Amino acid sequence: FYRLNLWERNDNVWLSRLRDVLANDEGKLPEVGKYNAGQKMVFWSMSLLILVLITSGVVIWDQYFSNYFTIDQKRVAVLVHSITAIVAICVWIVHVYAAIWVRGTIGAMTRGQVTGGWAWRHHRKWLRDLVTGKN
């Protein structure tokens, strides 16, 4: 999924018009591909946060790795692990809230399909790529 989530110039414009996103005024937003800037931010932040959780989790996993790390390293790892978990939960909550905010998104997430009208309104560049066979 990382290729579809690479940052593009349009993503900066999309983010700068976040007020229009929240107002569901798609006409003022640039055309986006399969994922918009918000979705890309969720993807990259969760990818990074999961790596930090795994790394810090290994450090505090006493059953297998107790001999490899000092008490001070474990204390720092517990703090990093806890803060990272809180941030990941916050990202997830924002993700769910955004999915509820945009009508049709929950169905898209649970069924894996959207209508042509929904795709045209929210992900026009992606729909064009699908129709022209670029994707």
Side-chain angles (χ1 to χ4, degrees):
F1 292 107
Y2 82 92
R3 286 189 182 155
L4 293 172
N5 285 288
L6 294 175
W7 204 257
E8 299 172 357
R9 189 167 286 168
N10 274 349
D11 294 326
N12 293 327
V13 176
W14 190 92
L15 270 181
S16 70
R17 297 182 183 161
L18 198 56
R19 186 178 306 243
D20 296 324
V21 172
L22 296 174
N24 283 320
D25 192 359
E26 302 285 333
K28 296 180 181 176
L29 299 173
E31 292 184 358
V32 295
K34 188 168 185 177
Y35 301 114
N36 62 39
Q39 293 165 318
K40 290 177 182 181
M41 289 172 54
V42 168
F43 174 83
W44 289 113
S45 62
M46 289 303 265
S47 297
L48 175 68
L49 292 167
I50 287 168
L51 288 175
V52 173
L53 284 170
I54 290 169
T55 304
S56 60
V58 166
V59 174
I60 60 177
W61 197 357
D62 280 341
Q63 185 175 357
Y64 296 105
F65 303 106
S66 62
N67 296 331
Y68 299 104
F69 302 102
T70 66
I71 295 295
D72 289 335
Q73 290 172 327
K74 290 177 188 179
R75 287 178 180 159
V76 170
V78 165
L79 181 63
V80 168
H81 196 78
S82 301
I83 291 170
T84 304
I86 291 169
V87 172
I89 291 167
C90 290
V91 169
W92 183 82
I93 289 170
V94 168
H95 174 69
V96 169
Y97 181 74
I100 293 168
W101 186 264
V102 178
R103 179 182 289 167
T105 302
I106 297 293
M109 292 169 66
T110 57
R111 289 189 312 266
Q113 60 188 19
V114 297
T115 65
W118 189 94
W120 179 256
R121 180 171 182 195
H122 298 288
H123 297 273
R124 193 168 294 179
K125 183 179 173 197
W126 172 61
L127 181 62
R128 272 202 190 101
D129 290 346
L130 284 175
V131 170
T132 60
K134 291 182 182 178
N135 202 5

